[in-house]
């Protein structure tokens, strides 16, 4: 498969799943635009090295996905895109009574509203070309809930709803819109939850991973960033031309329970 001539923007891609998706799309020949909110030399080096590895153009554009104008600015600065992967996301865990309002606002802004803005900005260019792929990185928490993750679960259910809605608005126009719902993938976002979970459950690292974190993932194995990247590549391929407005789980059986 080759995405030569296609430009992909992946939000929140200097780490974790976003970086894995950028790697997979670049390996398939796409020009890739990496993004995060920082603007460090290492961010630009990361994308230059990724481009060199795969012989494709790779650029890094800093933009804060918690700010609507910056989300739209990212698409404009990139010169539009053929493939848009809405991946930027954050997590915070707390009972709702103690849930900090600013955390709720930030999670909704970054995990959900950013996609509203990037999609609105990217669609006119896709429509003009008669081809586009939008992939929203939701979560198993887009389909099921867990206690203490009110903002995250709400944002991920909502992005699945946004995915379906935009799929209907673009049906038959050469544009598909889908969501990927990973279970646990060992990335910095998940790594950051381990010490807290060890404390709460009074368990060592291996036990908390197996018995608590992967308790709902029947495979008891983390999904990998490569596997999520491969799923995004599939959704952008001709085999997926008629797949739109749906979700694909990469969750080791979580949502089958
Ligand atoms: P991560 O922390 O490794 O990566 C998150 C990315 O988002 C980073 O590149 C970070 O810089 C970026 N980001 C954060 N705030 C931003 C902002 N304001 N503006 C721009 N970029 C910002 O986390 P990850 O695990 O790779 O998560 C990526 C996506 O996958 C998220 O949407 C997350 O909810 C989703 N997801 C992750 C898992 C998992 O187990 N890791 C499971 C299901 C879904």
């Amino acid at each position: 498969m080759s995405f030569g001539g296609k430009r992909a923007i992946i939000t929140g891609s200097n780490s974790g799943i976003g970086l894995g998706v950028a790697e997979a799309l670049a390996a398939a020949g796409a020009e890739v635009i990496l993004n995060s909110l920082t603007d460090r030399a290492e961010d630009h080096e990361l994308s230059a090295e990724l481009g060199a590895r795969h012989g494709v153009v790779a650029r890094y554009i800093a933009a804060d996905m918690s700010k609507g104008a910056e989300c739209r600015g990212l698409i404009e600065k990139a010169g539009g895109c053929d493939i848009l992967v809405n991946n930027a996301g954050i997590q915070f865990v707390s009972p709702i009574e103690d849930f900090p309002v600013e955390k709720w606002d930030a999670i909704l802004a970054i995990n959900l509203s950013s996609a509203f803005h990037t999609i609105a900005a990217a669609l006119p260019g896709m429509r003009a070309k008669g081809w586009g792929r939008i992939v929203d990185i939701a979560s198993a928490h887009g389909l099921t809930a867990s206690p203490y993750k009110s903002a995250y679960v709400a944002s991920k259910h909502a992005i699945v709803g946004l995915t379906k809605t935009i799929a209907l608005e673009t049906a038959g126009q050469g544009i598909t819109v889908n969501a990927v719902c990973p279970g646990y993938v060992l990335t910095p976002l998940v790594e950051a939850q381990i010490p807290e979970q060890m404390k709460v459950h009074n368990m060592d690292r291996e036990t908390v991973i197996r018995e608590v974190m992967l308790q709902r993932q029947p495979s008891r194995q983390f999904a990998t960033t490569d596997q999520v990247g491969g799923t995004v590549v599939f959704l952008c391929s001709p085999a997926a031309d008629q797949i739109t407005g749906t979700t694909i789980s990469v969750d080791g059986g979580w949502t089958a329970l």
Side-chain angles (χ1 to χ4, degrees):
M1 181 181 337
S2 177
F3 296 141
K6 306 284 190 215
R7 180 184 299 130
I9 299 178
I10 307 100
T11 70
S13 47
N14 66 351
S15 157
I17 291 173
L19 187 55
V21 170
E23 193 87 50
L25 288 168
E31 173 186 344
V32 290
I33 309 292
L34 276 70
N35 152 265
S36 183
L37 69 171
T38 51
D39 201 4
R40 306 164 300 187
E42 65 203 74
D43 296 319
H44 294 271
E45 280 159 21
L46 181 77
S47 70
E49 282 165 16
L50 190 150
R53 240 186 341 271
H54 299 290
V56 298
V57 174
R59 286 184 283 150
Y60 179 85
I61 301 177
D64 184 348
M65 292 297 105
S66 71
K67 300 192 168 74
E70 293 198 28
C71 298
R72 290 170 190 257
L74 168 64
I75 308 298
E76 199 183 316
K77 283 181 193 161
C81 60
D82 308 283
I83 297 169
L84 170 64
V85 182
N86 289 304
N87 168 80
I90 59 168
Q91 169 69 287
F92 190 80
V93 180
S94 163
I96 194 161
E97 307 91 305
D98 307 322
F99 211 100
V101 174
E102 61 277 12
K103 290 285 184 196
W104 170 273
D105 289 344
I107 289 173
L108 269 287
I110 296 167
N111 296 16
L112 174 64
S113 301
S114 65
F116 163 76
H117 293 292
T118 56
I119 291 171
L123 263 185
M126 291 179 178
R127 282 207 171 97
K129 291 181 193 165
W131 196 92
R133 293 287 178 269
I134 298 172
V135 183
D136 297 321
I137 306 299
S139 167
H141 282 118
L143 305 168
T144 65
S146 294
Y148 314 125
K149 296 186 176 177
S150 53
Y152 189 82
V153 171
S155 72
K156 294 299 186 179
H157 274 67
I159 201 161
V160 170
L162 178 69
T163 301
K164 292 179 186 174
T165 305
I166 308 310
L168 295 180
E169 292 186 21
T170 56
Q173 298 169 22
I175 298 166
T176 67
V177 192
N178 293 290
V180 176
C181 294
Y184 271 114
V185 185
L186 192 57
T187 65
L189 183 142
V190 168
E191 188 64 52
Q193 296 173 43
I194 297 175
E196 178 65 19
Q197 292 289 320
M198 286 168 65
K199 216 165 56 188
V200 169
H201 297 280
N202 193 26
M203 287 176 179
D204 64 28
R205 180 183 163 88
E206 294 315 312
T207 312
V208 92
I209 287 174
R210 194 180 60 251
E211 301 301 329
V212 179
M213 303 187 73
L214 295 180
Q215 185 247 332
R216 291 175 71 183
Q217 198 147 310
S219 66
R220 300 282 169 132
Q221 292 164 346
F222 283 115
T224 68
T225 57
D226 286 354
Q227 290 161 354
V228 179
T231 305
V232 173
V233 166
F234 164 68
L235 284 172
C236 296
S237 74
D241 275 358
Q242 288 301 316
I243 300 178
T244 194
T246 193
T247 60
I248 295 192
S249 293
V250 185
D251 66 3
W254 179 326
T255 43
L257 277 176

